Amino acid sequence: MTVQLELDAVSVQFAGLKAVSDVSFTVAKGEICAVIGPNGAGKSTLFNAIGGYVRLASGRVLFGGEALNGRPIHEIAAAGVRRTFQNGGLFLDMTVIENVMVGLHQTHPIPLVGAALALPSARRREREAIEKARELLALMGIQEQEDVLLRNLSSGQQRMVEIVRALASPAKLLMLDEPAVGLTSLEVQRLDGILKQLARSGIAILLVEHVLDLVMSVSDKVVVLNSGERLAEGTPGEIRSNPAVLEAYLGHS
């Protein structure tokens, strides 16, 4: 498989303390890679390093063979890196479809003058953006809520909207930070199917998740972090039977 993302000895340091230390692994196109570990293991810091939100102390982040580290956040996003956050970042006083439209501005820009004058070209682009937003909402099974204010949705439905917004612009790498938080068991099952469908389309997926049933079901590969270092890497079956992982993370000795 073609490598989409490569982490080469990535380290992140805060005030002399290494939050991530010499972590290396790859994610191929169409591959789902989960990163697991307890709170404080460095998972979110690693995500932030890939997305350009924190500076690397050493190492490289390569995307499609080109270095991402040192590039501004907007350039990393424009390259096709999309992510969600633990605490959302949605607009609670906007409707579902309005939130998704925010994410569509890069691929369906509507010039201000054209919108103000209601020019045919602007109206056409707006219709295209709305149609694309509805397609994405249908993928997540929340199309019936398109006109509902975000604050009136369950936390699980809000997570689905956040994933839709991340997909609104073309994605080559989708980074999901705790996507199953607040989801019902049925919603987790639906998310499982959606992630596999996205991977089949060629999108590389990097997943941080504490819901281990989802991790073991959906992942092609699992990377385990321990105090900022890579403890293990392998298939879900290999990780499930790894003695160090069982002792440290899965509650077995």
Side-chain angles (χ1 to χ4, degrees):
M1 292 192 292
T2 303
V3 172
Q4 184 65 271
L5 175 72
E6 179 181 358
L7 275 63
D8 178 20
V10 167
S11 294
V12 178
Q13 187 168 311
F14 298 118
L17 176 67
K18 276 195 174 181
V20 174
S21 183
D22 296 322
V23 171
S24 299
F25 63 87
T26 63
V27 185
K29 292 181 179 179
E31 183 178 39
I32 301 177
C33 175
V35 179
I36 67 172
N39 292 332
K43 304 183 301 297
S44 292
T45 299
L46 193 66
F47 259 41
N48 289 333
I50 296 168
Y53 291 88
V54 299
R55 187 182 300 273
L56 301 190
S58 60
R60 298 183 304 164
V61 176
L62 301 174
F63 185 68
E66 298 186 2
L68 289 185
N69 43 296
R71 296 172 63 178
I73 294 169
H74 71 274
E75 286 188 11
I76 294 173
V81 178
R82 300 284 176 265
R83 69 164 294 179
T84 63
F85 296 84
Q86 284 184 356
N87 297 318
L90 298 169
F91 300 99
L92 297 180
D93 291 317
M94 293 171 61
T95 66
V96 168
I97 200 164
E98 286 170 343
N99 270 273
V100 178
M101 294 283 283
V102 169
L104 281 164
H105 76 279
Q106 289 186 334
T107 52
H108 295 77
I110 301 173
L112 183 60
V113 173
L117 298 177
L119 296 179
S121 60
R123 293 200 301 270
R124 184 182 68 253
R125 289 185 182 183
E126 183 177 10
R127 287 195 300 270
E128 291 172 351
I130 292 173
E131 183 176 325
K132 176 63 175 178
R134 285 174 172 160
E135 289 176 2
L136 291 169
L137 291 173
L139 173 67
M140 292 292 178
I142 52 174
Q143 65 271 30
E144 300 298 327
Q145 284 82 31
E146 70 170 60
D147 294 321
V148 177
L149 291 178
L150 254 290
R151 65 172 61 259
N152 294 328
L153 295 183
S154 69
S155 59
Q157 290 172 323
Q158 289 182 14
R159 299 296 285 179
M160 292 294 192
V161 174
E162 188 185 9
I163 295 172
V164 169
R165 195 174 67 176
L167 290 168
S169 297
K172 296 178 181 178
L173 171 67
L174 180 60
M175 297 167 45
L176 301 175
D177 198 350
E178 303 282 4
V181 169
L183 299 189
T184 66
S185 58
L186 289 177
E187 288 170 335
V188 170
Q189 290 177 21
R190 181 167 184 81
L191 178 61
D192 183 303
I194 290 167
L195 294 181
K196 290 173 180 174
Q197 181 178 341
L198 293 173
R200 286 194 295 270
S201 74
I203 297 175
I205 298 175
L206 189 59
L207 171 72
V208 164
E209 185 54 69
H210 280 108
V211 179
L212 292 180
D213 285 345
L214 175 64
V215 168
M216 296 302 173
S217 170
V218 79
S219 303
D220 299 298
K221 176 169 60 183
V222 180
V223 175
V224 185
L225 294 185
N226 177 27
S227 299
E229 298 181 352
R230 191 185 69 172
L231 175 67
E233 177 181 336
T235 66
E238 290 168 342
I239 294 301
R240 191 182 287 116
S241 60
N242 185 302
V245 175
L246 292 174
E247 182 175 359
Y249 300 112
L250 303 184
H252 301 282
S253 58

